[in-house]
Amino acid sequence: TLLYTIKFECNPMNSVNSIYFAQPLPSSQVRASVSTEFNKKPASDDLERKAAGEWDDRVRENPRIFNGTKFRLGGWHVQQGHVTSTADMVDIVDIVTPSDDGTTEFIMNVGFTDYKENITSSLSTFREELAVYGTQHYSDSQACLADVVANAALLVTSDNLALIQLRSQLVGDHQGLWHFPGGHAEPGEIGVESGDDLRKVESEEVVGEVFGSLVREMKEEINLGDQYLSEPRLLGICRYNSVHKPELHFLMFVNLTAREVTELYDAEDFTDFESEDIAFWDVSQLGISDKKTFDLLKFTKGDSLSPEVISVGVGNLAPCSAKLVQGVQMVLRYNPDLFSDHGFNDG
């Protein structure tokens, strides 16, 4: 295996590539370089006024939306590993083969932002204008975009089915689309409420919250306690939408069948805000290339009942989740045993 030490720069000033790891990384191989230097930069007065107006409009449309502190991803790099760039549709995906000795590290540049900035920049109706302004004034197309540290997991059951949620119409983005479970790392969970607080935060705290937030989301959105879950491992990071919004992707396992997961989900009412339903995708059929539809399995009460097969149009899959599927397909070319190690002995 060809291994060499590299500092593979993937910051927004020179790359909008997605990146995936042939062997997903544990939290011990992820670090955060934390600084207010990586905060979102201000745009013009006119664009900032447009942002304020758009936030007011969104809150009027959906009063349940509220602001909150978030971490911002100001770029990243990988140290130690073999990198292969490969075409993924119209994008370039970088596949990293980590070194066997566990020295490969994924290092995130982390700053401070909030959900309001996320809605009024990365998800705004004028996000391309912000990208142009960032390029012209900061030599960085991402400078005036929130680039919130978002995450999602491919959660695989003991019968090799991946859980996916149907998003509610009440959420801030991807309304009514199928989306792999996840959310955002929450700075408030580690005592960060402002940019000043960020200066006091250690790398381990940020990384712990990025990984820990996924475990928390599984309980809050699916009713899966951590006793059922493997430790998350970092699969990679995708860039999606017209301004290359980032999302961290993870691999997790649950030591329950899809039917058992459904029973736990059905025991709580999650339809009030986050999701309307869950279903499952056979990992052996995970793929959307050259497809107009894909099949999901929906389980109902009664052990003797076969799951209902639901045909879903590819357009009803959230763009970031489509990227996750494509990323997994890329990884499987380098690591066909991706789903063999369930990781329940990780501690």
Side-chain angles (χ1 to χ4, degrees):
T1 301
L2 176 62
L3 294 176
Y4 51 90
T5 300
I6 57 174
K7 188 168 183 178
F8 179 59
E9 293 291 350
C10 262
N11 64 57
M13 288 184 285
N14 59 24
S15 176
V16 291
N17 292 6
S18 297
I19 182 170
Y20 286 90
F21 296 94
Q23 185 63 44
L25 300 182
S27 59
S28 59
Q29 289 176 248
V30 179
R31 287 196 290 120
S33 176
V34 185
S35 172
T36 54
E37 171 191 348
F38 305 124
N39 289 3
K40 173 183 170 294
K41 303 294 191 294
S44 66
D45 290 344
D46 181 55
L47 288 172
E48 294 294 343
R49 280 192 294 271
K50 288 175 72 171
E54 186 153 318
W55 175 253
D56 291 341
D57 291 342
R58 292 293 294 273
V59 172
R60 275 194 295 271
E61 293 169 6
N62 184 0
R64 302 184 69 164
I65 293 177
F66 61 93
N67 197 14
T69 58
K70 304 294 176 186
F71 290 120
R72 180 178 187 271
L73 190 64
W76 64 84
H77 61 269
V78 175
Q79 292 189 134
Q80 187 78 14
H82 178 62
V83 180
T84 303
S85 293
T86 182
D88 168 23
M89 309 296 278
V90 297
D91 302 319
I92 299 296
V93 176
D94 295 308
I95 302 293
V96 177
T97 303
S99 56
D100 294 332
D101 59 6
T103 57
T104 299
E105 287 190 315
F106 177 76
I107 300 156
M108 304 179 289
N109 297 336
V110 176
F112 179 78
T113 185
D114 57 38
Y115 191 65
K116 178 180 177 180
E117 288 187 341
N118 183 46
I119 291 292
T120 61
S121 64
S122 302
L123 298 173
S124 74
T125 56
F126 54 94
R127 55 187 181 240
E128 289 88 357
E129 295 178 60
L130 290 167
V132 170
Y133 187 90
T135 300
Q136 293 175 341
H137 294 268
Y138 301 104
S139 301
D140 177 0
S141 63
Q142 306 304 114
C144 301
L145 300 167
D147 277 359
V148 165
V149 178
N151 55 39
L154 191 75
L155 179 69
V156 181
T157 65
S158 61
D159 44 355
N160 289 318
L161 300 176
L163 184 147
I164 191 165
Q165 297 172 291
L166 180 62
R167 298 272 284 175
S168 163
Q169 295 290 342
L170 299 174
V171 293
D173 59 340
H174 309 311
Q175 301 93 334
L177 298 179
W178 290 94
H179 187 282
F180 292 108
H184 299 104
E186 301 292 348
E189 292 288 330
I190 59 172
V192 176
E193 299 295 346
S194 70
D196 290 337
D197 291 336
L198 196 61
R199 297 187 178 94
K200 308 168 189 175
V201 175
E202 299 293 331
S203 168
E204 293 79 6
E205 295 178 278
V206 175
V207 172
E209 169 55 18
V210 169
F211 279 70
S213 63
L214 267 176
V215 176
R216 192 171 61 244
E217 293 282 355
M218 297 305 167
K219 177 60 178 176
E220 294 175 355
E221 296 188 10
I222 313 293
N223 199 27
L224 290 175
D226 58 7
Q227 70 269 29
Y228 302 118
L229 302 170
S230 70
E231 293 290 332
R233 287 180 175 258
L234 180 65
L235 262 174
I237 182 170
C238 83
R239 291 282 194 179
Y240 73 99
N241 88 6
S242 60
V243 292
H244 312 295
K245 191 177 187 297
E247 183 173 89
L248 294 168
H249 288 159
F250 293 80
L251 178 63
M252 296 178 70
F253 296 92
V254 54
N255 59 5
L256 300 170
T257 66
R259 188 180 298 280
E260 290 169 332
V261 171
T262 301
E263 289 173 353
L264 285 173
Y265 176 83
D266 287 342
E268 298 286 339
D269 183 8
F270 293 101
T271 60
D272 191 39
F273 186 59
E274 291 287 348
S275 65
E276 296 181 359
D277 205 352
I278 62 169
F280 297 85
W281 199 335
D282 188 334
V283 296
S284 68
Q285 305 297 318
L286 202 64
I288 54 174
S289 299
D290 302 320
K291 291 184 179 180
K292 293 182 179 179
T293 63
F294 58 94
D295 289 339
L296 298 179
L297 303 177
K298 180 171 167 49
F299 291 82
T300 55
K301 292 180 180 179
D303 291 338
S304 62
L305 296 176
S306 298
E308 176 187 357
V309 178
I310 305 170
S311 182
V312 177
V314 170
N316 292 318
L317 182 64
C320 46
S321 292
K323 287 286 189 179
L324 174 51
V325 171
Q326 292 164 2
V328 168
Q329 289 299 297
M330 293 283 185
V331 170
L332 285 169
R333 297 179 192 174
Y334 294 81
N335 180 8
D337 299 323
L338 178 66
F339 300 123
S340 299
D341 180 9
H342 286 195
F344 286 104
N345 295 320
D346 289 349

